[in-house]
């Protein structure tokens, strides 16, 4: 379509154009030297229009025009400064700068007073429609159809009343590629050259770039608002800092935990307010993460014990860290959460089991014997029978009642994680995960649905029970453990 974008050759021969136009009007023949875009437009318009017409173009009422301007408020608000800058460069040249919508209706005009008067005589005023269906062949109507910058000079206009004009126009698109406006420059045909077309084309692109920038700005603000709301909604404190250590974000929970003022900290170095312990500083420099580290933070002379997670921030595939995110939770909060979750069951004993039937008395008696014993216990029964509750009661009745009670549901553990979940991993790194036996050291380990365990883990369980030691897969050194194992199953196990 690039061949169709070329304007008439310069300098413009207005007399030759008039001769070509007259020949077409009288005979329907078109000179081969005529701009092909103009020639196609003449053929389209000739059956609909009288080239000698002096009729007025349709114009919107003032109220309708105001509604249309409100509808295109963003386009006008963005384009108006560009139009004013453009007019400053052409002021005094007898030109008018025009903005139209996608239907070729004039929205805004700026120009020399003398040219505005002439434009009004030719119905080039806000509210008039300059599409081909109303104004015949003209630059605005052609841009609406061709979607390309174009120039129409003198007798290239189908209507003889516009032969004194030279008009250049370019399309304006939104970020989705839809035509939303047309920018034009109109002046006397005798002064027309290539420069107005180049100007409107450049200004139209500048308007599009501004529209795109505004849209990106709005989207970024919306995303930032949504992200801020999500960060404020989480229960943990969250603190983000850049690679230089300056705080870039601090949610309200983190400000409360650290006893800091939210707005005074952001943008300032974190070290001015918080003394980070060595374990966090050591993780920052090698760009490692840190999971649930129990640390003490020094804040203004106060010692605040927290569980801290540290995550490096990387952009795309970059290996370099651009910052860090720390999540904080006060140890007191963790303790309260644990107490709330297990507190109701922590005091459960065998005396809390109601009923005096022979079956319940036998179960209560067997459980009391199991509680006094150090041997492992196997509880068999169908789902929902209360095996977990009975295991908790046995633990609370035993000498290990003050120790931890760790429960593991074997059926919900992924098969590829069962070994590491039971036997742990890490070898002493920051990502260290102790085994379930180590977590239950000094207390009771409840293994729910033990029949779901692999043979490897079953052997590890038996070894831990028999030897009192457990060895991680990534270590050759066993760890001593002292615990009671209670297992549950819905199946009858022979061994």
């Amino acid at each position: 379509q690039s061949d169709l974008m070329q304007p008439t050759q310069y300098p413009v021969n207005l007399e030759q154009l008039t001769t070509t136009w007259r020949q077409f009007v009288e005979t329907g023949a078109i000179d081969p030297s005529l701009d092909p875009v103009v020639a196609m437009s003449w053929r389209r318009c000739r059956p609909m229009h009288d080239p000698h017409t002096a009729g007025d173009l349709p114009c919107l009422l003032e109220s309708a025009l105001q509604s249309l301007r409100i509808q295109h408020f963003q386009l006008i608000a963005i384009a108006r400064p560009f139009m004013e800058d453009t007019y400053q460069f052409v002021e005094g040249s007898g030109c008018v700068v025009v903005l139209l919508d996608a239907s070729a209706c004039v929205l805004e005009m700026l120009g020399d007073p003398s040219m505005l008067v002439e434009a009004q005589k030719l119905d080039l005023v806000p509210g008039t429609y300059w599409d081909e269906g109303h104004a015949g062949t003209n630059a605005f109507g052609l841009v609406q159809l061709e979607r390309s910058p174009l120039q129409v000079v003198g007798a290239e206009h189908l209507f003889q009343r516009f032969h004194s004009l030279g008009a250049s126009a370019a399309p304006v698109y939104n970020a989705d590629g839809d035509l939303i406006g047309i920018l034009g420059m109109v002046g006397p045909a005798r002064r027309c050259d290539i420069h107005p077309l180049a100007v409107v084309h450049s200004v139209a692109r500048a308007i599009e770039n501004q529209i795109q920038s505004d849209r990106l700005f709005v989207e970024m603000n919306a995303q930032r608002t949504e992200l801020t709301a999500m960060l404020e909604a989480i229960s943990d404190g969250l603190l983000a800092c850049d690679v230089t250590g300056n705080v870039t974000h601090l949610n309200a929970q983190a400000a409360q935990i650290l006893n800091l003022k939210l707005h005074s900290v952001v943008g300032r170095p974190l070290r001015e307010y918080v003394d980070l312990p060595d374990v966090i500083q050591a993780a920052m420099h090698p760009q490692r993460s840190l999971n649930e580290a129990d640390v003490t933070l020094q804040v203004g002379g106060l010692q605040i014990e927290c569980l801290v997670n540290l995550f490096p921030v990387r952009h795309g595939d970059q290996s370099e860290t651009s910052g860090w995110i720390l999540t904080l939770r006060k140890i007191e909060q963790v303790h309260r959460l644990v107490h709330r979750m297990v507190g109701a069951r922590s005091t459960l004993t065998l005396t809390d089991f109601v009923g005096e039937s022979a079956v319940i008395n036998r179960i209560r008696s067997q459980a009391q014997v199991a509680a006094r014993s150090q041997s492992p216990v196997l509880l068999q029964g169908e789902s929902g029978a209360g095996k977990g509750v009975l295991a908790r009661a046995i633990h609370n009745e035993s000498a290990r009642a003050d120790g931890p009670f760790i429960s593991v549901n074997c059926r919900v553990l992924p098969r590829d994680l069962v070994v590491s979940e039971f036997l742990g991993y890490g070898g002493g790194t920051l990502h260290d995960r102790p085994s379930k036996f180590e977590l239950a050291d000094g207390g009771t380990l409840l293994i729910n649905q033990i029949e779901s365990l692999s043979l490897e883990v079953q052997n590890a369980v038996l070894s831990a029970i028999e030897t009192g030691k457990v060895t991680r897969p990534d270590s050759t050194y066993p760890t001593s453990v002292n615990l009671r194992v209670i297992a549950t199953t819905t199946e009858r196990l022979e061994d």
Side-chain angles (χ1 to χ4, degrees):
Q1 216 176 27
S2 59
D3 294 340
L4 305 183
M5 294 172 58
Q6 303 301 319
T8 306
Q9 294 182 350
Y10 300 98
V12 178
N13 190 332
L14 296 177
E15 293 182 358
Q16 179 62 40
L17 283 177
T18 301
T19 301
T20 301
W21 175 82
R22 187 176 294 111
Q23 177 184 333
F24 171 74
V25 171
E26 293 175 355
T27 67
I30 295 181
D31 191 314
S33 65
L34 185 67
D35 188 329
V37 177
V38 174
M40 288 188 294
S41 177
W42 280 4
R43 292 191 181 98
R44 288 193 301 267
C45 295
R46 186 65 179 90
M48 298 185 295
H49 300 295
D50 178 7
H52 299 285
T53 184
D56 296 335
L57 297 182
C59 185
L60 296 175
L61 297 175
E62 185 62 27
S63 59
L65 176 60
Q66 290 302 319
S67 297
L68 188 63
R69 281 173 168 161
I70 293 173
Q71 180 182 344
H72 295 288
F73 174 80
Q74 183 185 19
L75 172 63
I76 295 173
I78 293 175
R80 181 79 186 192
F82 289 99
M83 295 173 65
E84 292 173 351
D85 291 343
T86 302
Y87 174 62
Q88 285 183 355
F89 286 103
V90 299
E91 188 174 4
S93 63
C95 290
V96 175
V97 182
V98 188
L99 178 67
L100 305 89
D101 68 3
S103 65
C105 180
V106 179
L107 298 174
E108 290 283 305
M109 291 180 61
L110 290 173
D112 293 338
S114 59
M115 190 58 192
L116 288 175
V117 173
E118 292 299 320
Q120 185 173 11
K121 295 178 181 178
L122 297 175
D123 295 329
L124 184 57
V125 294
T128 54
Y129 284 88
W130 278 71
D131 57 292
E132 274 193 359
H134 294 104
T137 303
N138 69 91
F140 309 128
L142 283 178
V143 168
Q144 182 191 29
L145 294 173
E146 300 292 341
R147 301 295 202 264
S148 298
L150 290 164
Q151 188 177 70
V152 176
V153 182
E156 287 182 331
H157 292 91
L158 180 68
F159 288 2
Q160 187 177 20
R161 62 188 296 220
F162 301 145
H163 284 187
S164 62
L165 300 178
S168 303
V172 178
Y173 297 97
N174 64 12
D176 297 321
D178 301 321
L179 180 70
I180 59 172
I182 300 168
L183 184 73
M185 187 180 296
V186 181
R190 64 183 181 277
R191 298 181 182 177
C192 194
D193 56 28
I194 188 63
H195 299 102
L197 182 62
V199 169
V200 296
H201 180 49
S202 299
V203 175
R205 297 293 80 78
I207 293 172
E208 290 174 356
N209 291 336
Q210 188 62 52
I211 291 173
Q212 175 75 357
S213 297
D214 286 3
R215 175 173 174 173
L216 292 176
F217 182 76
V218 170
E219 290 177 352
M220 288 178 61
N221 271 345
Q223 292 175 359
R224 184 179 180 84
T225 300
E226 183 178 353
L227 178 61
T228 300
M230 288 190 293
L231 295 179
E232 294 298 332
I234 63 177
S235 58
D236 288 354
L238 185 141
L239 185 150
C241 60
D242 60 22
V243 70
T244 64
N246 291 329
V247 178
T248 58
H249 188 87
L250 184 76
N251 70 356
Q253 289 82 353
Q256 183 178 13
I257 292 173
L258 299 175
N259 196 28
L260 297 174
K261 293 183 179 179
L262 185 64
H263 299 292
S264 63
V265 176
V266 176
R268 303 290 300 171
L270 178 60
R271 63 178 178 272
E272 292 185 3
Y273 303 93
V274 182
D275 290 332
L276 297 177
D278 293 340
V279 65
I280 295 181
Q281 296 187 35
M284 280 184 167
H285 292 294
Q287 304 171 2
R288 295 180 296 182
S289 60
L290 191 63
N291 294 325
E292 296 186 351
D294 187 350
V295 299
T296 300
L297 304 176
Q298 300 284 341
V299 183
L302 298 177
Q303 292 187 341
I304 302 175
E305 191 176 1
C306 296
L307 275 182
V308 175
N309 292 284
L310 175 69
F311 307 96
V313 178
R314 298 183 178 92
H315 296 293
D317 297 331
Q318 298 179 9
S319 58
E320 291 296 323
T321 300
S322 60
W324 290 273
I325 294 177
L326 292 89
T327 62
L328 314 170
R329 180 177 294 184
K330 294 186 73 172
I331 290 297
E332 292 89 335
Q333 289 180 284
V334 178
H335 291 168
R336 285 196 299 268
L337 178 62
V338 172
H339 183 72
R340 186 168 66 247
M341 293 179 64
V342 304
R345 294 181 295 171
S346 62
T347 59
L348 180 68
T349 64
L350 294 174
T351 58
D352 295 316
F353 284 74
V354 297
E356 295 296 334
S357 67
V359 174
I360 195 64
N361 286 333
R362 185 172 67 254
I363 292 175
R364 189 183 293 115
S365 175
Q366 291 174 340
Q368 288 173 343
V369 173
R372 292 191 294 269
S373 171
Q374 300 299 317
S375 302
V377 178
L378 177 65
L379 303 178
Q380 295 178 319
E382 60 187 21
S383 297
K387 298 185 294 296
V389 176
L390 182 59
R392 166 68 75 169
I394 293 174
H395 168 77
N396 292 338
E397 290 276 356
S398 72
R400 303 176 182 273
D402 293 333
F405 182 84
I406 304 298
S407 177
V408 183
N409 190 338
C410 304
R411 183 159 295 177
V412 301
L413 289 177
R415 291 184 178 274
D416 55 342
L417 296 180
V418 170
V419 175
S420 60
E421 283 291 329
F422 263 92
L423 303 183
Y425 59 84
T429 68
L430 290 173
H431 300 280
D432 186 42
R433 179 183 290 273
S435 68
K436 299 301 182 185
F437 302 99
E438 294 171 79
L439 293 175
D441 188 29
T444 301
L445 174 63
L446 172 62
I447 306 176
N448 284 303
Q449 299 177 326
I450 193 173
E451 72 274 9
S452 301
L453 286 180
S454 65
L455 183 61
E456 177 184 3
V457 179
Q458 288 184 21
N459 290 333
V461 172
L462 293 175
S463 175
I465 293 174
E466 294 174 357
T467 66
K469 298 179 182 293
V470 61
T471 303
R472 297 187 185 183
D474 56 359
S475 175
T476 58
Y477 301 100
T479 300
S480 297
V481 290
N482 179 15
L483 75 162
R484 155 84 69 84
V485 174
I486 300 178
T488 70
T489 178
T490 57
E491 302 176 5
R492 180 169 294 278
L493 303 181
E494 297 186 8
D495 204 2

